[in-house]
Amino acid sequence: MMALVVGACSSTNPSPSTSTPSGASLAPGQTPSGTPSGTASTPTGTPSPGESGEPQATPTVGPDETPGPEVSPTPKPPKPLADYPTHGKRTQKVIALTFDADMYPFMYPTKDSYHEYDTRTLKLLKDNDVHATIFLNGLYVKAYPDIVKDLAKQPGIELANHTWDHAAWPGCSDPAAPALDNKKTEITKTEKIVKDEIGTDMFWFRFPGGCYGGGSDLELVKDLGSWPVGWDCYFGDSLGWSGDQQFSNVKATCGKGSIVITHLNNTKYHPGVYDALKQLIPWWKENGWTIVNVGELLGRETPPAE
């Protein structure tokens, strides 16, 4: 279905290579990098990956001067992060594996008759002690709380925010997505259900489709206590590629410090993920790669203290 293919687009994350695996076809509106036509670009003036804003210094007072009003320094980011990191340091063979767990409103009524998860993929992650970050729609947590609870118990599995229902933020064309009503609620409602159902705080946030309207959207996420993060390479399941094509694409386009995106959903809209992972996990290990979650890649393993 084109709508979900488009929903997995990236607005700001060019892949290291834009080559398309042989025999693969692109979805309407998508370029080989996974970017839909007409998407928003990263706002100018934001720090590049690896940079961060420094706190403004508090003015000093000389011995003969009268102290002025106290000036509070600008809070530091929790780590030296870009405004919108898409990868980590390019120095070691480390890759952050991320899954989007998408739940559009049209999926919810059939959540029991057609599960939006692949039990084979879940078992593969558990059996191999794979570290990964799961970006959850709140509606997905509502549909499958037991699945999410089981994931949260696994060492190395990190839960993150992917809005409530994959509503259409600025920059992506996704006919299946509901209209965006309230950006703040899309974030906080998911935080609440994960806290209530799973007992977990989340720190990382991913925009649906990787699309957002500009710097104000990035600041909104951070003001609410999360940090927006993207990706720089992808499996290709949203394009309907086979497991073999996805395996080849990850090997060819993901580099040191990459954040790679795939999906936790079942095979109707995201085929081939299990088949790709079944090849990738041993290949990564045999070739000296370490599979981590986003927090481990970017230097933050736990959410900030309240």
Side-chain angles (χ1 to χ4, degrees):
M1 177 178 289
M2 182 190 74
L4 291 187
V5 171
V6 176
C9 66
S10 166
S11 64
T12 58
N13 303 336
S15 298
S17 167
T18 57
S19 60
T20 302
S22 176
S25 59
L26 297 177
Q30 285 191 294
T31 65
S33 68
T35 307
S37 58
T39 56
S41 59
T42 303
T44 58
T46 57
S48 59
E51 296 179 340
S52 67
E54 290 296 327
Q56 298 177 8
T58 303
T60 56
V61 179
D64 299 324
E65 298 179 40
T66 301
E70 183 177 349
V71 178
S72 299
T74 303
K76 264 191 175 183
K79 285 285 181 181
L81 296 176
D83 270 6
Y84 186 70
T86 59
H87 60 81
K89 294 179 180 178
R90 300 297 200 185
T91 55
Q92 296 180 322
K93 295 177 77 172
V94 177
I95 188 165
L97 177 60
T98 71
F99 294 83
D100 284 4
D102 290 349
M103 178 61 72
Y104 291 71
F106 80 86
M107 293 175 172
Y108 191 81
T110 59
K111 63 183 176 62
D112 296 322
S113 58
Y114 186 83
H115 294 153
E116 289 296 337
Y117 55 86
D118 189 334
T119 55
R120 301 173 303 166
T121 298
L122 297 174
K123 187 174 187 301
L124 196 63
L125 295 176
K126 180 179 284 189
D127 290 349
N128 288 275
D129 297 318
V130 174
H131 289 208
T133 301
I134 314 294
F135 287 90
L136 297 154
N137 286 147
L139 200 58
Y140 193 99
V141 181
K142 182 179 178 181
Y144 306 117
D146 291 339
I147 294 293
V148 179
K149 287 176 185 176
D150 188 57
L151 283 165
K153 293 175 184 176
Q154 297 177 38
I157 295 294
E158 176 182 56
L159 304 185
N161 194 329
H162 194 38
T163 72
W164 177 255
D165 57 2
H166 217 280
W169 288 59
C172 275
S173 174
D174 186 350
L180 181 61
D181 181 40
N182 186 302
K183 293 177 180 179
K184 181 177 179 180
T185 300
E186 282 284 321
I187 299 169
T188 58
K189 192 174 179 180
T190 301
E191 290 176 347
K192 184 178 188 308
I193 194 171
V194 170
K195 183 68 173 179
D196 291 348
E197 292 284 346
I198 317 300
T200 299
D201 291 311
M202 299 181 293
F203 178 67
W204 306 107
F205 175 86
R206 175 170 284 163
F207 294 100
C211 300
Y212 58 95
S216 61
D217 286 344
L218 299 179
E219 291 306 314
L220 172 64
V221 173
K222 289 183 282 184
D223 287 345
L224 293 173
S226 295
W227 203 274
V229 63
W231 64 90
D232 67 341
C233 60
Y234 58 93
F235 273 43
D237 49 294
S238 293
L239 299 173
W241 291 352
S242 70
D244 287 342
Q245 287 175 312
Q246 293 176 45
F247 175 55
S248 298
N249 189 57
V250 171
K251 289 197 301 178
T253 63
C254 295
K256 293 178 179 178
S258 280
I259 299 174
V260 61
I261 182 176
T262 185
H263 293 78
L264 202 65
N265 296 69
N266 212 333
T267 57
K268 183 186 293 185
Y269 304 112
H270 297 282
V273 174
Y274 168 75
D275 294 326
L277 273 176
K278 190 168 61 173
Q279 299 177 73
L280 279 167
I281 291 171
W283 183 85
W284 275 324
K285 292 180 178 180
E286 290 166 5
N287 287 275
W289 289 85
T290 301
I291 310 167
V292 299
N293 59 44
V294 170
E296 292 164 339
L297 179 74
L298 298 180
R300 179 164 210 96
E301 297 184 14
T302 57
E306 294 293 337

